[in-house]
Amino acid sequence: MNTANITWMLAETGIKAFVIVNIILVMASAEVWLERKVCAWIQKRNGPNRVGPFGLLQPFADVVKLFMKEDIIPAAASKNFHRLAPLLSLMMAVAVYAVIPYANYVDVMGHRVYLGIAPNLNIGLLYILAMTTLGVYGITLAGWSSNNKYSLLGGLRSSAQMISYELSMGMALIGVVLVSGTLCLNGVIDKQVGWFWHWNVFCQPIAFIIFTVASFAETNRAPFDLPEAEPELVGGFNTEYSGMKFGMFFLAEYANMATASCFIAILFFGGWQLPFPQEMLGLKDGSVQLALAQFSSFFIKMLLFIFFFIWVRWTVPRFRYDQLMSLGWKILLPLSILNALFTAIAIIVFKL
Amino acid sequence: MDLQFILFFVFGTLAIASASATVLSKNPVVSAMALVFHFCTLACVYFTLNAQFVGALQVLVYAGAIMILVIFVIMLLNLGNEKAFAEKFNYRKGIAIMLGASFIIMLATSFLSKNYITNQMPASSLKNGTVEKIGLDLFTSYIYPFEAIALLLCVAVVGAIILAKKKISH
């Protein structure tokens, strides 16, 4: 690789990373607004409506408020880990976006620019799984370093829960990997080309259900939000956090929710594929218009899943801890192994 | 200078530093977190050597699954300083130093004698690290060792279940 190539690559990656990180953070605040609005509709209230039109600027006001607040580190806390934990949480939440493809590619001045930082990475799926497992450390360390028994319980619950559901998540993915024959995210999307009934959700419905349930557990969202169950644990792992450090956990949670939605859209709903063959638009590959159409298709799918996450949170009550564990180990895990087995048999028998 | 080459040295240095921190730290949580960081930098070293699959598994299995259990246990037991039992096993230190030194000498002699040290990577290494290649090799040439490992793991799992199910009677 020569110097010009390296410079071009670094510039391209840097610009993409800058844009994507900013979009993620703005999206996270937009999700907070959406969450509060949807929850208000579900509970027959108005929701935030004072700051800006329709209360749209409310999340920004919240962020300003969090910045203004005093940042307290408990005297008996393990100080460095207490500082490190929210950073780690947010870092892993953002790192996942490195492999997510937002559209196919655009040809700019003879260069083929893929929309996404490294969407053609050979190990894309494994990378996402690895980053989501590392995200546990943020929460676990936050729970331990606060030196507070409620925080510790929250942190332990979270790590136990994430380890348990990681397994069924990985096993559910095996079905998808077997069908698409690759671990590369753009490869998985390419296999779902054409009309919408080619999407993986129609040939892997069980994997889709298992994966969605496991995503809820992985993102610590209701009905699996035991790590921050207010009635029993005060605030869970983030009890001892204040100011923007609390805000970082908050951002990480919403960024994780967006990640899970992206991931479901890519694996089971064709990612940036349009719901009909893209030749019907009459645009050629690599044109900006086609990329825009693909991006909007991806974005709409993602928004729908974010809405689904919020909808479930305000409808379904929280699990009890033993219910959570038996659901993970006794139902989802055997089901996902059977799904992988049957998919493999079907592929051999029908020579797919 | 190649970009891969520079990155290899950066991550290699970080890996050595974090491994030393793991051994030298007196606080068990610091030690465990340094080990997690070490696994991540080791994964980056694998990436610079074109071994993508091994790198991803390093993070997924070691940093993600195994170390989280270790940290889990350390936090549950709330271990304090290890000073109390540091002096008790002094003779172990001597044996450990001897074994470590002999290992380093063995590595050094085997590397220096055959001119192994080079910064050129064979072109075939680009393909060798991918999931497809490793999968094909595992299930064709190395199927028997692979199945033997599967059996070994199965035995370990059964053993763990038996230990966990044993009723403690006094």
Side-chain angles (χ1 to χ4, degrees), chain B:
Chain B
M1 285 285 252
D2 206 5
L3 189 65
Q4 254 175 343
F5 189 61
I6 300 168
L7 287 176
F8 175 79
F9 269 92
V10 170
F11 289 121
T13 322
L14 280 175
I16 293 171
S18 50
S20 324
T22 312
V23 182
L24 296 175
S25 165
K26 291 281 179 224
N27 184 332
V29 176
V30 174
S31 199
M33 283 313 287
L35 193 56
V36 172
F37 186 67
H38 171 71
F39 286 144
C40 296
T41 48
L42 209 57
C44 295
V45 170
Y46 288 142
F47 289 143
T48 60
L49 296 174
N50 291 333
Q52 304 179 344
F53 184 62
V54 181
L57 282 197
Q58 177 80 23
V59 177
L60 193 61
V61 175
Y62 285 94
I66 293 179
M67 282 316 289
I68 198 74
L69 286 177
V70 171
I71 292 216
F72 200 87
V73 171
I74 291 174
M75 286 176 182
L76 262 183
L77 301 179
N78 211 0
L79 294 178
N81 256 335
E82 61 157 352
K83 235 177 195 160
F85 56 109
E87 280 94 32
K88 224 165 146 187
F89 303 111
N90 234 348
Y91 66 96
R92 284 190 181 177
K93 231 179 234 171
I95 299 172
I97 288 174
M98 266 164 54
L99 285 177
S102 56
F103 182 62
I104 287 179
I105 291 169
M106 194 189 83
L107 276 185
T109 47
S110 65
F111 271 93
L112 289 178
S113 60
K114 286 182 187 163
N115 279 333
Y116 269 141
I117 298 169
T118 167
N119 62 359
Q120 297 302 313
M121 269 206 280
S124 61
S125 75
L126 252 179
K127 272 191 195 149
N128 280 344
T130 59
V131 188
E132 291 88 348
K133 185 77 173 56
I134 289 179
L136 270 180
D137 277 353
L138 266 187
F139 289 103
T140 52
S141 335
Y142 302 104
I143 182 75
Y144 294 116
F146 180 77
E147 292 298 334
I149 292 173
L151 206 65
L152 188 71
L153 286 176
C154 195
V155 170
V157 169
V158 171
I161 290 174
I162 287 175
L163 280 181
K165 285 206 85 153
K166 199 188 259 173
K167 296 272 185 297
I168 299 166
S169 54
H170 289 289

